[in-house]
Amino acid sequence: MAFVPTGPEASFFDALDRHRASLLAVVKQGTGKAPAGVTRVVSRFEDSVGLQMIPQCITRKIKSDSPKSVKKFALILKILSMIYKLVQSNTYATKRDIYYTDSQLFGNQAAVDNIIDDISCMLKVPRRSLHVLSTSKGLIAGNLRYMEEDGTRVQCTCSATATAVPSNIQGIRNAKFLLIVEKDATFQRLLDDNFCSRMSPCIMVTGKGIPDLNTRLLVKKLWDTFHLPVFTLVDADPHGIEIMCIYKYGSMSMSFEAHSLTVPAIRWLGLLPSDIKRLNIPKGSLIPLTKHDHMKLDSILRRPYISCQPFWRKEMEMMADSKMKAEIQALTFLSSDYLSRVYLPNKLRFGGWI
């Protein structure tokens, strides 16, 4: 059964359709290069992929005969043997499963996580090729149907409920756009306001803060499969911008797997620092930047990919000058449903993204 659009009339999506056409034009060039006017940066950053590990990176040596690293070496061999058995039997396990096989030996979950990342990097294969999965924390809702690896058919709905992000999917339906929402609370509020139904056909995803691997893989697969416009809705603060950058450009810790995780076509829909001034959000609804915020903002501004995003830089400089940040909830000053009924629809209709 096909989805029946219940959202706005077709002309509402004119700006989205034009944006998608421009994205497809870039894709059809076969290079994945950034649009004209964007300067390619010679660094760890590749504008068509994101942050990538460079060949001249520093290596870490683990020796079996060194007292300092003998335990780490033993743990690597232990996990490698488990991975071998998983691959041989064509079964999968989560990182949590591996930790609980001998929690006293591993000590903590972080030790397992770091070793699995090291093995994936050392073998130059995605973590999934090791048959090791992460427990999903993300949620997805909207006009989407897919089949899980075990054959289970899942149909997301445009209702007040969401589905856990799957670890693997076989088939996907289309939509007009994908909206990545930073926080679970905002995601749930949009569901309660029937945002997906009113903006149908669309898909919403949240990683509940910093996204896990499964959420990033799903966003990447939706982009690769349909090349539909992807937008982010994050707080107007350094932490929200950091999360947006992870989806778009990747993270240093997973740079060896950037090609399968990043979506450089992602656009910043909101909340923009310039929106705060444009909408006359009162100062009482804003939050002063902390010392940590200033340090994080300075760090982001120094990253190589920011030179490719002059509009992003302008917004961040505006935040630094004002010394204030704002959560998405600051929009409730205008009305309780301003975000879902006015802010987002206007942004999508009139191309209010950067």
Side-chain angles (χ1 to χ4, degrees):
M1 181 179 68
F3 286 105
V4 178
T6 58
E9 58 187 26
S11 61
F12 177 92
F13 296 111
D14 284 349
L16 283 172
D17 290 339
R18 288 194 297 271
H19 177 51
R20 184 169 187 266
S22 68
L23 294 175
L24 288 173
V26 173
V27 172
K28 288 178 180 178
Q29 292 174 1
T31 61
K33 292 180 181 179
V38 173
T39 304
R40 182 175 293 275
V41 180
V42 181
S43 180
R44 289 177 179 268
F45 166 66
E46 182 73 19
D47 58 11
S48 63
V49 178
L51 290 172
Q52 289 186 295
M53 185 175 67
I54 57 176
Q56 296 80 18
C57 62
I58 297 173
T59 58
R60 183 168 66 251
K61 293 183 179 180
I62 306 295
K63 298 181 179 180
S64 60
D65 58 352
S66 170
K68 292 183 178 180
S69 60
V70 64
K71 181 178 180 180
K72 182 71 174 288
F73 183 80
L75 293 180
I76 290 175
L77 290 181
K78 169 74 172 177
I79 293 178
L80 275 171
S81 69
M82 298 177 72
I83 289 172
Y84 176 78
K85 291 176 183 177
L86 290 171
V87 174
Q88 284 290 92
S89 61
N90 195 29
T91 56
Y92 292 82
T94 66
K95 292 186 294 183
R96 200 69 176 161
D97 292 335
I98 291 176
Y99 167 68
Y100 277 115
T101 59
D102 199 330
S103 59
Q104 289 189 344
L105 173 65
F106 292 121
N108 55 67
Q109 182 68 56
V112 174
D113 296 351
N114 292 335
I115 289 174
I116 291 172
D117 285 344
D118 285 346
I119 292 173
S120 181
C121 183
M122 177 179 66
L123 299 179
K124 296 181 173 61
V125 296
R127 189 192 302 164
R128 182 168 183 80
S129 297
L130 305 177
H131 284 230
V132 178
L133 307 175
S134 299
T135 303
S136 294
K137 69 169 184 172
L139 297 173
I140 187 168
N143 298 79
L144 175 69
R145 291 193 296 180
Y146 60 86
M147 184 182 295
E148 293 184 338
E149 194 173 39
D150 61 3
T152 302
R153 295 181 182 274
V154 179
Q155 178 168 315
C156 299
T157 58
C158 295
S159 65
T161 59
T163 303
V165 167
S167 60
N168 191 36
I169 50 180
Q170 298 292 328
I172 307 175
R173 292 284 180 179
N174 207 349
K176 280 289 185 180
F177 67 93
L178 168 64
L179 179 65
I180 300 171
V181 182
E182 175 191 350
K183 297 188 296 189
D184 183 37
T186 304
F187 182 85
Q188 295 296 337
R189 180 55 192 265
L190 290 174
L191 286 180
D192 292 342
D193 288 349
N194 293 318
F195 177 79
C196 283
S197 295
R198 289 187 286 104
M199 292 292 105
S200 179
C202 72
I203 299 170
M204 283 201 318
V205 171
T206 181
K208 297 183 179 180
I210 296 174
D212 61 348
L213 184 65
N214 289 342
T215 303
R216 293 176 62 188
L217 285 170
L218 177 65
V219 171
K220 174 67 172 177
K221 179 140 191 175
L222 287 170
W223 163 251
D224 286 344
T225 305
F226 299 114
H227 296 111
L228 71 167
V230 185
F231 304 106
T232 54
L233 176 64
V234 299
D235 288 337
D237 66 12
H239 183 69
I241 295 171
E242 176 76 277
I243 289 172
M244 178 172 58
C245 289
I246 291 174
Y247 282 107
K248 186 175 176 74
Y249 296 119
S251 60
M252 293 298 293
S253 62
M254 297 293 289
S255 58
F256 61 90
E257 206 174 332
H259 62 282
S260 64
L261 293 174
T262 59
V263 183
I266 285 174
R267 297 293 181 263
W268 187 1
L269 187 67
L271 180 66
L272 302 178
S274 59
D275 290 335
I276 297 171
K277 183 178 181 180
R278 179 175 61 84
L279 298 173
N280 294 316
I281 303 296
K283 194 169 184 179
S285 299
L286 307 181
I287 306 170
L289 290 175
T290 64
K291 182 178 180 181
H292 179 74
D293 289 332
H294 281 291
M295 292 173 62
K296 172 65 71 175
L297 194 57
D298 289 341
S299 171
I300 297 174
L301 284 167
R302 289 195 300 269
R303 294 176 188 176
Y305 48 72
I306 295 302
S307 63
C308 296
Q309 297 290 345
F311 295 112
W312 284 29
R313 174 177 288 278
K314 184 177 179 181
E315 293 289 337
M316 285 186 275
E317 288 174 346
M318 189 180 302
M319 183 191 302
D321 291 341
S322 70
K323 296 182 175 58
M324 303 296 285
K325 60 184 179 179
E327 296 184 339
I328 298 167
Q329 285 75 8
L331 295 175
T332 57
F333 166 79
L334 299 165
S335 71
S336 59
D337 58 357
Y338 186 84
L339 174 67
S340 62
R341 293 188 178 275
V342 181
Y343 182 82
L344 289 176
N346 283 344
K347 284 266 185 171
L348 293 166
R349 183 169 189 174
F350 301 110
W353 53 78
I354 58 175

